[in-house]
Amino acid sequence: MIEPNFAKGDGLVPAIVQDAETKEVLMMAYMNHESWEATLQTGKATYWSRSRQKLWLKGESSGHFQIIKAVFIDCDDDTILLQVEQLGGPPATPAINHAFTGN
């Protein structure tokens, strides 16, 4: 299996999280090797919390668990795209969508 290159980002890579059905971008977080392995083993999105300096199972406090439906790694092996089904908790706040119109 292809694995992200964690060395490129000093041990962390960005993970873009997308609703598997609607394709709406839900969030961006960071993963390290340990959170990557936990995600693959459990099927639930697990990230590295930079502020708390520990693993963060998405949903442990909010109730919005993310069940992994598909995983993609970009061509440079330094960014992850997770397609998830988000379960539980109150409805998530929708992302704010702004179109860039340029100048």
Side-chain angles (χ1 to χ4, degrees):
M1 171 181 224
I2 295 174
E3 186 169 288
N5 185 340
F6 294 101
K8 281 187 178 181
D10 293 325
L12 296 176
V13 296
I16 309 300
V17 185
Q18 184 180 49
D19 184 287
E21 186 176 324
T22 68
K23 306 306 184 227
E24 177 185 6
V25 174
L26 301 175
M27 60 180 279
M28 192 285 282
Y30 289 92
M31 297 179 88
N32 64 6
H33 190 268
E34 187 179 7
S35 63
W36 168 255
E37 290 294 326
T39 297
L40 296 180
Q41 289 175 7
T42 66
K44 293 181 180 176
T46 304
Y47 305 105
W48 177 255
S49 172
R50 296 178 304 156
S51 60
R52 294 177 283 189
Q53 292 292 296
K54 68 174 196 164
L55 287 181
W56 160 42
L57 172 63
K58 175 64 175 150
E60 64 188 349
S61 60
S62 69
H64 289 104
F65 291 94
Q66 295 175 339
I67 307 304
I68 303 300
K69 297 299 181 180
V71 176
F72 301 92
I73 300 173
D74 78 336
C75 62
D76 294 326
D77 299 329
D78 60 2
T79 302
I80 300 166
L81 172 65
L82 299 176
Q83 290 184 338
V84 303
E85 178 182 2
Q86 190 157 283
L87 303 175
T93 303
I96 297 171
N97 198 359
H98 293 283
F100 177 73
T101 57
N103 290 327

